[in-house]
Amino acid sequence: MDLPFLYETFLSLVAAVPLTLQLAASAIVLGAFLALGLALCRLSGILPLDWFARTYIFVFRGTPLLVQIFLIYYGLGQFREVRQSMFWVVLRDPYWCAVIALMLNTAAYSAEIIRGGLLSVPFGQIEAARACGMSRLMTFRRITLPLAIRQALPGYSNEMISMVKATSLASIITIMEVTGVAAKIISETYRAIEVFVVAGAIYLAINFILTRLVALAEYQLSPHLRQPAALPSTPTGAAR
Amino acid sequence: MNQPTILDLIGTGPNGWGMALAAATVMTILIAVAGFAIGAVIGVFGAWAKVSGGPVTRGIAGFYTTVLRGIPDLLVIYLFYFGGSAAVTAIGRLFGAEGFIGFPGFLAGALAVGITSGAQQTEVFRGAFKAVHPGELEAATACGMSRSLRFRRILAPLTLRHAIPGMGNVWQVVLKESALVSVTGVVELLRQSQIGAGSTGLPFDFYVIAAAIYLAISTVSGGLLQLGEKRFTRGVRRG
């Protein structure tokens, strides 16, 4: 065991963790909004919107993420119109290309998870909200969405973990996040196993913390499943 | 000079990359099938270890599935590719070979994909095994079947019935993961598209073609899996 080497590797890999987290967080947050839109398109009952969302989900779930990243990073630059447009500032930057590709990809997977969550809201709850006189928007904001999020959270946490893992693909378009740094160290030292162990431990730690956070959120969102907090015990004699 | 259109690129004419792309598609399917098969074998043994192993084998299997499902696949591919090359070079040096010996990318890729998908298939098979009704196994024992006969005639087909939908999911993941093997230089679909994009200056067209071929493979194999599911569940009463 070469402890100094492991320690040195650990230091250089930990320095890259913020970039990995930043990539994952921006992709997940932006992707969640897009996914909600797609899920609503699928549930809208308006045929063109439904078919648009279906096609989008089919294409993005059926092709490898790496192809999508290449298509955005290398492919779009082929067109002079794109290179001369105002979007080029964003599209020539590998970081933003990675964020866009990850976001578009996770939106396709999350849309189906969110759709499942929305469909699982019992109709009685919506009916009760209507009976209380809530408008459609308020019903959605106060009743449907919170219940749907609670239902979808376990499935969504899987998607969040696979997004953390997917950020490693950004290293292929020159972004030096954890896997990028690990690959650089491996190709310089050819000590694949040591670097792999350290990098793997870092990803495991990130994913472990992420699952704990989601479990905490799930706990917060389902007070009805918890044991009620013990009431302060009243002295038995005083009640009589 | 006229830019070749996308139809010229997929054709077999002078500007055509049709044959190269077809060969690359075959390579992609080979990597995915090899990885999936390795994963299935690992999955069966992993599930067996988890279901009927002692505390030590259960612990090892649990560690394996936790680790391999928690780290990026790309990292595993790098481990096999660079680690394999380092090992092969070290062995070569023992036998007096000079310099660096590369590890075959196909083997590294198939092993890496197999080991990551093995972790997923372990869970698929474990879940499928749990779904087999204990009464079925009891009945087989009551009929006087030996353990191996019971496994072959009752347990394996019933587990497979429950496992097919999950295996279908893993197959789709494996197919898309095979694109990562392009980093080892194996000329599969994505690598071939990169080569084509580089030499024609038409990256968009080539990656769109690659995406379309991946979509086609996953759609066709998805349909086949559905047929298989139908066949294996024909004994199930619905409704």
Side-chain angles (χ1 to χ4, degrees), chain A residues 219-237:
Chain A
Y219 177 81
Q220 293 288 337
L221 284 172
S222 43
H224 64 296
L225 295 177
R226 270 178 257 157
Q227 288 282 327
L231 294 170
S233 58
T234 44
T236 32

Side-chain angles (χ1 to χ4, degrees), chain B residues 140 143-157:
Chain B
C143 288
M145 289 192 189
S146 69
R147 272 182 72 94
S148 64
L149 189 63
R150 192 182 67 174
F151 176 81
R152 187 163 60 82
R153 286 233 184 119
I154 311 293
L155 187 57

Side-chain angles (χ1 to χ4, degrees), chain A residues 66-83:
Chain A
L66 198 52
V67 173
Q68 294 159 18
I69 292 178
F70 281 180
L71 204 49
I72 291 170
Y73 183 58
Y74 297 113
L76 289 180
Q78 178 184 327
F79 304 106
R80 195 186 306 140
E81 295 82 358
V82 176
R83 287 200 303 273

Side-chain angles (χ1 to χ4, degrees), chain B residues 96-136:
Chain B
E98 288 287 313
F100 174 78
I101 305 167
F103 193 66
F106 178 84
L107 197 58
L111 279 175
V113 172
I115 282 181
T116 39
S117 81
Q120 296 160 0
Q121 298 203 55
T122 298
E123 296 300 311
V124 169
F125 284 129
R126 190 174 66 98
F129 173 78
K130 296 256 165 178
V132 174
H133 205 278
E136 311 248 22

Side-chain angles (χ1 to χ4, degrees), chain A residues 32 34 49 52 70 103 109 154 158 210 226 232 234:
Chain A
L34 192 55
L49 288 181
F52 166 74
F70 281 180
M103 170 192 89
Y109 287 90
N158 283 341
L210 187 62
R226 270 178 257 157
T234 44

Side-chain angles (χ1 to χ4, degrees), chain B residues 3 16 36 45 58 61 65 68 83 87 96 118 136 140 153 158 166 171 174 176 179 187 192 203 229:
Chain B
Q3 287 278 30
F36 186 75
F45 281 101
R58 262 213 313 273
T65 48
L68 267 295
E136 311 248 22
R153 286 233 184 119
L158 284 178
W171 162 253
V174 163
K176 285 178 271 169
V187 186
Q192 185 62 59
E229 199 179 321

